[in-house]
Amino acid sequence: MLFFLWATMAAAQENVIGIMASNGCVNCHGYEGRGGTIGTIPSLQGRSKEFLRTAMLDYKHNVSRGTVMNRIMKDVDDRKIEVLAEYFSGIK
C-alpha cells in the first residue's frame, strides 16, 4: 500500500513540474496544450514526446522558423524542453 501512495505522489509531483513549466505555453496553445483559439496554433496534447522534443529543439536552434517560437525557445534549457515534451505527450 505504501508503494502505491509513493508512486501516486511521485506522479503528482511530476505533473506539477510539467504544469509549472508549461505556464507560458498555455497563453497560445491553450489549457493543457489542447489547442489555441487563435489561427493555426497547434495542439500539443498527446503528441509523441519525440515529436515535441524535436520541434522545440528545432525552434531553439533556428532549424524551424515560427512567428514567435524561435524567440521563446532560444533561452529554454534542454531539461525544460524534456519536461515539456514529457508533460504534453502524457495528456490524453
Side-chain angles (χ1 to χ4, degrees), residues 28-59:
C28 296
H29 291 280
Y31 172 70
E32 291 185 330
R34 295 183 185 275
T37 58
I38 302 170
T40 59
I41 298 170
S43 170
L44 303 175
Q45 153 256 345
R47 297 204 180 218
S48 77
K49 182 177 176 179
E50 294 75 25
F51 172 85
L52 293 168
R53 180 190 314 110
T54 299
M56 287 185 276
L57 287 170
D58 285 353
Y59 282 123

Side-chain angles (χ1 to χ4, degrees), residues 1-17:
M1 179 68 170
L2 186 58
F3 171 76
F4 292 112
L5 177 60
W6 179 83
T8 302
M9 288 174 53
Q13 182 180 11
E14 270 300 311
N15 197 29
V16 168
I17 292 168

Side-chain angles (χ1 to χ4, degrees), residues 67-83:
T67 55
V68 297
M69 285 301 296
N70 301 94
R71 289 179 287 186
I72 291 169
M73 295 307 299
K74 72 177 177 135
D75 295 323
V76 176
D77 65 51
D78 291 349
R79 175 65 187 131
K80 186 171 182 180
I81 288 173
E82 191 67 27
V83 167

